[in-house]
Amino acid sequence: MFFLASLYVALAVFGFGLLYKVSTWFRYSLIAEDKNYPPGVRVSAALKGIVTTVFSPKILVLLKVLILDILLQVRTLQESYLRWLMHLCIYGGFMLLLLMHALESFISEPLFAEYYSTLNPFLFLRDLAGVMVITGIGLALYRRYISKLPRLKTSAMDRYAILILSVIMLSGMLLQGVKITSHTEFQAMEEDYAGLDDPTEVTALESYWVQHFGLVSPSVKGPFDQETLTMGREIHEMNCADCHSSLKWAFTGYATAKMISPIAVALDRANIGTVLWYIHFLACFIGLAYLPFSKMFHTIASPLSLLSNAVMDKEKSHPANLATKRILELDACTHCGTCSLRCAVGPVFEAISNPNILPSEKIVSLKSLASNKALSRLDFLVLQEGLCLCTNCHRCTDVCPVGINLQDLWAAVREDMLKKGIPELLMLSPLSLYRALMHDDAENGDYHKPIRLAQKTVTDEFNLDIQNNTLKAESRDEAFQRRLRISVQGNTFCDCYNCKACTMACPVVLNFDHPQSELGLVPHQVMHAAALGLKDLILGSKMLWACLGCYRCQEQCPQGVRVTDVFYELKNIAIKHVKGRIPKV
């Protein structure tokens, strides 16, 4: 009764959780544009897209992905043999146990005549599947706690997945070992299947099982004479052999039985088998009920992500389906850390302790964003910085084993967050180049707004105006000069003698009819102001932020002043100063 009640509760929670999680794919929106498509529209678009794809040549693409990427996990194999083996062991072994053990009444028994779980090959295959899962768990522990791959983060969900699988498998193995040694189990079996009335025959059968099946009896001890064993074998063959192969084929359970045999009688008297039975089945039910809310939900979402990304196109697919796919991809992430390991900006994480720099951790933050959780200003700034600290190298997308288009995900959310009007100084860095190349995708006016906001945020901090103010001695900043001199590149400003070669070569200067009034300073004046220590004058000028970084000024300098590199040093000084002053709350 308890078993059935627990099963029904677990199935009910699992079903509710599954419906809830799937509904979020159609209810949640990651960017403001997605909110234009209500759940009904997205469900309708998804069904239409599925039908259209199934009855088109794209079905061949889906079959290819199903075989190579979902069943054989070729993507994972290409990236890491260890991870591929780990996944194959866990998923392959668990599926075998699910079909042959948990669902044996629905699958194994109808398929195989006179099926018994204690007969071969089922007895052996069940233990083999268990060993596969335990091997996979061992590889997962090795990968996360021993090999310590760089930038691989282990979250609470990762620990839960390892823990629940370990409890299920170890309790099952111990339960099997206890049942093999249990005298109580033997007596129940003898009464149900043999029904022997002669005590001599019962003793003979018991002796045979002690000798060959790992049974530990409190009353029957070896060594046994051959006549008793022969009688026991004959009774076994008449009553037990049809449903019991040698338990040595259950190699993990039998090995466990041998290890616990010295205390087997005490365990049997303490009814430990029943305790283990409850632990095992409750762990299974808890794992099933919590599956939709845990990391293991990716076993459902990841295949769908692989299939959808194989046939969907950013330019041709319905925007409602793209909105749904973005939320689906968040659930599909396995938090394997492959993207973070390959991320070109990953090393920056060592200097800037912002977890959202790492792609796998950005996914975690985007889940909070999509679920309409209110982000504090600090959380918003941290996520926005993580999204903008990206070289758009496409490595994360290329190596993702579940096919998530991470590049499009970052770009879409980044643009949406920049529209909120909170300054992001990385808009002034070379990392914004990709955004410039893709500026046609931005809505009218939205491309320039975050750049101008970032520029204004910086220049407003430094307001020394050479046009309308007289320079004074206190305008000089010796600490600023010392900071420039620390750098090998920055220190070269000292060699400038203001020949104006850099200014004459600068394409930015040549773009304006009146560059001095438009830019505040021109390159040779920036070098001269650096020599005078006029920090506010330099950092408040537009020239610094209009610089293209083309190195023409540096190439033309007869003194070898590294003008462009000096500009980069100056930008870093300005951003470091301003970043510390942007209010976090």
Side-chain angles (χ1 to χ4, degrees):
M1 193 68 181
F2 174 80
F3 173 82
L4 288 176
S6 300
L7 176 60
Y8 291 149
V9 170
L11 288 174
V13 175
F14 170 78
F16 170 78
L18 185 61
L19 287 174
Y20 172 79
K21 289 295 290 184
V22 172
S23 73
T24 62
W25 301 344
F26 304 98
R27 293 187 295 111
Y28 286 177
S29 298
L30 195 55
I31 60 177
E33 181 185 341
D34 294 346
K35 295 178 180 178
N36 297 329
Y37 305 98
V41 174
R42 286 161 68 169
V43 170
S44 176
L47 292 174
K48 182 179 178 181
I50 292 170
V51 172
T52 304
T53 301
V54 170
F55 293 99
S56 75
K58 289 183 178 179
I59 188 65
L60 299 177
V61 177
L62 294 180
L63 289 173
K64 177 184 175 182
V65 171
L66 176 65
I67 294 170
L68 295 181
D69 295 335
I70 297 176
L71 297 179
L72 299 180
Q73 301 190 29
V74 170
R75 282 173 173 259
T76 305
L77 177 60
Q78 290 172 340
E79 186 61 29
S80 168
Y81 175 76
L82 184 67
R83 278 195 58 234
W84 174 80
L85 184 61
M86 177 186 75
H87 280 113
L88 211 61
C89 284
I90 292 177
Y91 294 133
F94 216 85
M95 286 303 297
L96 281 173
L97 287 172
L98 180 66
L99 299 174
M100 293 176 51
H101 180 49
L103 301 177
E104 63 181 1
S105 299
F106 305 99
I107 297 176
S108 299
E109 289 181 8
L111 284 177
F112 302 101
E114 299 181 0
Y115 166 83
Y116 288 102
S117 61
T118 48
L119 282 177
N120 273 331
F122 315 108
L123 184 64
F124 171 76
L125 289 176
R126 187 173 64 245
D127 272 44
L128 178 62
V131 169
M132 288 174 63
V133 177
I134 291 171
T135 301
I137 294 171
L139 291 173
L141 290 170
Y142 170 80
R143 183 171 178 268
R144 290 193 174 272
Y145 297 104
I146 298 176
S147 65
K148 294 182 180 178
L149 294 174
R151 302 190 288 277
L152 176 63
K153 301 296 178 182
T154 301
S155 66
M157 280 290 100
D158 298 318
R159 297 187 186 96
Y160 163 78
I162 293 173
L163 177 63
I164 195 70
L165 287 174
S166 299
V167 171
I168 291 172
M169 299 313 303
L170 293 177
S171 63
M173 185 185 300
L174 285 170
L175 176 59
Q176 188 181 29
V178 168
K179 289 177 73 174
I180 288 173
T181 61
S182 172
H183 186 255
T184 303
E185 288 286 332
F186 171 79
Q187 286 179 319
M189 182 198 69
E190 185 272 324
E191 290 175 4
D192 291 339
Y193 297 103
L196 302 175
D197 295 326
D198 187 348
T200 305
E201 292 181 345
V202 173
T203 302
L205 180 61
E206 189 171 337
S207 301
Y208 184 77
W209 273 63
V210 169
Q211 184 73 15
H212 296 288
F213 283 81
L215 173 65
V216 178
S217 172
S219 54
V220 176
K221 306 290 183 184
F224 306 105
D225 60 80
Q226 190 59 44
E227 183 180 350
T228 300
L229 292 177
T230 301
M231 180 187 297
R233 179 172 59 80
E234 291 174 353
I235 298 171
H236 168 79
E237 289 175 351
M238 285 191 302
N239 297 282
C240 308
D242 289 341
C243 59
H244 269 89
S245 297
S246 172
L247 293 180
K248 292 180 181 178
W249 284 104
F251 52 95
T252 58
Y254 193 78
T256 304
K258 287 298 181 184
M259 285 189 288
I260 66 173
S261 58
I263 57 171
V265 173
L267 294 177
D268 192 30
R269 288 173 178 166
N271 206 16
I272 296 299
T274 302
V275 174
L276 289 171
W277 186 90
Y278 278 107
I279 292 173
H280 181 68
F281 281 97
L282 283 176
C284 290
F285 294 157
I286 290 170
L288 175 65
Y290 194 58
L291 186 145
F293 308 99
S294 71
K295 170 188 173 178
M296 291 188 291
F297 185 62
H298 76 258
T299 57
I300 297 171
S302 296
L304 295 177
S305 172
L306 285 163
L307 293 170
S308 61
N309 273 295
V311 295
M312 290 182 68
D313 182 84
K314 182 181 178 182
E315 303 298 327
K316 299 178 181 178
S317 296
H318 195 291
N321 286 334
L322 293 175
T324 302
K325 182 173 76 75
R326 278 190 273 267
I327 305 300
L328 165 64
E329 287 177 328
L330 299 182
D331 284 330
C333 176
T334 66
H335 203 245
C336 65
T338 303
C339 51
S340 296
L341 181 63
R342 296 292 185 270
C343 178
V345 191
V348 176
F349 178 70
E350 307 300 326
I352 304 175
S353 58
N354 180 349
N356 289 290
I357 294 172
L358 305 177
S360 60
E361 305 311 307
K362 275 199 278 275
I363 290 286
V364 177
S365 296
L366 292 187
K367 283 185 178 182
S368 298
L369 184 66
S371 62
N372 298 319
K373 290 183 180 178
L375 296 181
S376 67
R377 185 180 177 88
L378 176 59
D379 291 336
F380 187 97
L381 288 170
V382 167
L383 177 55
Q384 184 170 265
E385 180 184 64
L387 288 165
C388 293
L389 270 172
C390 174
T391 63
N392 302 281
C393 63
H394 222 272
R395 292 181 185 177
C396 55
T397 298
D398 290 341
V399 301
C400 179
V402 294
I404 302 174
N405 195 326
L406 295 165
Q407 213 63 54
D408 284 352
L409 208 58
W410 309 151
V413 182
R414 178 170 59 230
E415 287 303 311
D416 191 66
M417 296 191 78
L418 289 173
K419 292 177 185 177
K420 307 294 185 185
I422 297 180
E424 178 50 64
L425 304 184
L426 287 167
M427 287 295 99
L428 305 176
S429 77
L431 289 173
S432 64
L433 173 62
Y434 177 82
R435 184 173 181 270
L437 295 174
M438 305 296 290
H439 74 278
D440 289 338
D441 293 341
E443 296 177 13
N444 293 334
D446 287 335
Y447 171 71
H448 294 286
K449 286 179 183 177
I451 300 173
R452 289 168 180 161
L453 178 61
Q455 287 178 339
K456 186 176 185 301
T457 302
V458 175
T459 54
D460 284 356
E461 285 289 319
F462 311 100
N463 53 14
L464 182 60
D465 186 355
I466 195 173
Q467 305 293 333
N468 303 312
N469 292 280
T470 301
L471 296 178
K472 300 178 181 178
E474 54 265 30
S475 299
R476 300 184 64 178
D477 189 330
E478 294 183 2
F480 166 71
Q481 284 184 309
R482 288 195 296 271
R483 168 76 187 273
L484 267 182
R485 291 180 185 276
I486 290 174
S487 164
V488 174
Q489 298 92 336
N491 190 43
T492 59
F493 77 88
C494 303
D495 299 327
C496 174
Y497 59 81
N498 276 269
C499 69
K500 302 183 182 179
C502 55
T503 299
M504 297 300 292
C506 179
V508 175
V509 173
L510 297 175
N511 186 60
F512 295 100
D513 293 331
H514 305 286
Q516 184 103 25
S517 59
E518 294 284 349
L519 299 171
L521 297 177
V522 290
H524 76 279
Q525 292 174 329
V526 173
M527 296 302 105
H528 187 54
L532 295 174
L534 302 175
K535 179 185 75 173
D536 286 358
L537 183 62
I538 297 173
L539 304 185
S541 71
K542 294 180 181 179
M543 179 68 235
L544 199 60
W545 309 107
C547 173
L548 300 174
C550 65
Y551 283 90
R552 287 181 63 180
C553 55
Q554 192 160 309
E555 291 168 354
Q556 297 296 323
C557 180
Q559 284 290 95
V561 177
R562 301 173 72 165
V563 184
T564 305
D565 293 335
V566 173
F567 269 44
Y568 278 124
E569 290 291 333
L570 292 168
K571 291 176 185 178
N572 287 332
I573 291 172
I575 287 180
K576 184 176 181 180
H577 174 82
V578 175
K579 188 175 179 181
R581 295 171 67 88
I582 295 178
K584 299 293 191 297
V585 293

